Amino acid sequence: MELKLKLTDYRTDVHNNWCPGCGDFGILSSIQQALFEMQLNPSKVAIISGIGCSAKTPHYINGYGIHTLHGRAIPYATGLKLANPELEVIVTVGDGDGLGIGAGHFVHAGRRNVDFTVVLYNNEVYGLTKGQAAPTLNIGVKTKSLPKPNINQAINPILLAFAAGYTFIARGYAYEVKHLKELIKQAISHKGSAFVEVIQPCPTYNDIHTKEYWSGKGNIDPKTGKEVPRYYKLEETGYECIITDETTEEEYLNKISNFIKKAYESGNRVPIGVFYRDLRFATYEERLSSRMPTYKISPPAKQEIADKKGNSITNIDKILEEFAI
Ligand code: SF4
Ligand code: MG
């Protein structure tokens, strides 16, 4: 296939002020490469963020981009996708942004099955505001930015996404760019709410889970006596969890039990890859279409809102009538 768009077409000339060595660079590169390999036209792509280091991502990707409020990227992106279903919408949120103040929105996006992709930058700290403990930091861990060890239990993003109803769930690692790019491509191609957690070292505030830590520093394989990474790729183990209408109840229970075991794995053996795909449910946009037959051909973004003179021609009387009791 001839690639008409170049990788550089997905970059901007905005000055990047992430700290040197930040895992965010790997995530940015993975998203750009995924868009390039899918040849998605920048005019059809929207990157939506909240507040945090992750929230700078839309500035660096050529396409539509909106840097919204803390915790509010998901509702903004939901409205955008519903107004213009032709857009490929990618939400970039941090662990604090997405699972702290934005946790409620994170849950409801899953149960709606909106056809978009949520990428969670998980560095376990609030990087932009000097490294406070984020909801994904384990209890008892003391990063250099904390005066005392973290007092709270951590959220497991993979299990939360499953409980919320996300129909595609994956985890990548920021420095495994090719692997992460493939996960993002699969997430974008999936019809429904797709979630990709990314382990993202923050060299400035998280001195525990560093790039060296994940690369395997001090993690000796007893069989070989050599250092091995603290993560492994699910697909290399033959693991797969796909749920379809044909999946029997027994198969479902087996697959879910396997999925939960994988989602709980931590410490020196953290899985990355696709954890879960559920192909049984209609997207939110499809559910809306079944109630409003004209929705797909005339979504809000395609409707005229003003005449040539700029006067409003919208009339919401009909919509209001629907709500009248
Ligand atoms: Fe990256 Fe941490 Fe610096 Fe933020 S504070 S840009 S997450 S290294
Ligand atoms: Mg964070």
Side-chain angles (χ1 to χ4, degrees), residues 63-137:
Y64 289 106
I66 302 159
H67 190 156
T68 69
L69 302 175
H70 199 205
R72 310 297 172 224
I74 285 179
Y76 200 105
T78 302
L80 183 68
K81 181 70 185 179
L82 295 184
N84 188 352
E86 284 178 10
L87 281 178
E88 200 55 69
V89 176
I90 300 173
V91 188
T92 56
V93 286
D95 36 23
D97 187 28
L99 299 181
I101 188 171
H105 299 305
F106 178 82
V107 168
H108 292 288
R111 75 188 182 91
R112 290 195 176 105
N113 205 27
V114 181
D115 185 18
F116 62 21
T117 299
V118 177
V119 181
L120 182 95
Y121 296 38
N122 185 3
N123 55 20
E124 306 166 314
V125 294
Y126 286 78
L128 192 72
T129 51
K130 306 253 182 284
Q132 298 88 345
T136 49
L137 187 71

Side-chain angles (χ1 to χ4, degrees), residues 170-319:
R171 180 191 286 135
Y173 174 51
Y175 293 107
E176 283 276 354
V177 174
K178 275 190 187 167
H179 183 257
L180 180 56
K181 169 204 68 181
E182 290 303 325
L183 294 179
I184 290 170
K185 279 165 66 180
Q186 291 182 61
I188 291 173
S189 304
H190 175 76
K191 289 276 154 251
S193 291
F195 173 61
V196 183
E197 176 198 356
V198 186
I199 298 167
Q200 178 250 313
C202 165
T204 303
Y205 294 113
N206 190 335
D207 55 333
I208 308 292
H209 293 146
T210 59
K211 186 180 177 189
E212 293 70 30
Y213 168 89
W214 289 111
S215 304
K217 193 175 177 192
N219 188 34
I220 307 296
D221 180 353
K223 284 186 200 149
T224 62
K226 289 186 180 163
E227 285 186 344
V228 287
R230 286 189 167 86
Y231 60 87
Y232 71 95
K233 293 175 183 161
L234 278 172
E235 60 276 17
E236 290 176 357
T237 66
Y239 171 88
E240 193 178 70
C241 181
I242 302 177
I243 311 294
T244 68
D245 285 328
E246 279 71 52
T247 305
T248 65
E249 194 179 337
E250 194 186 343
E251 285 167 343
Y252 179 79
L253 292 174
N254 281 336
K255 283 174 188 244
I256 296 307
S257 138
N258 219 4
F259 159 77
I260 289 173
K261 278 183 207 150
K262 291 291 172 196
Y264 268 117
E265 281 181 6
S266 59
N268 290 339
R269 199 175 153 73
V270 173
I272 60 172
V274 180
F275 280 75
Y276 182 76
R277 274 177 225 265
D278 198 328
L279 309 179
R280 295 173 298 171
F281 303 112
T283 63
Y284 193 57
E285 298 86 311
E286 287 164 344
R287 294 175 204 172
L288 278 182
S289 295
S290 66
R291 289 200 187 170
M292 294 184 277
T294 57
Y295 170 66
K296 278 235 163 119
I297 48 170
S298 180
K302 287 195 175 169
Q303 292 173 22
E304 300 268 333
I305 57 168
D307 64 19
K308 284 186 181 147
K309 288 183 183 161
N311 299 317
S312 171
I313 55 170
T314 54
N315 182 349
I316 61 167
D317 291 353
K318 273 196 170 177
I319 295 175

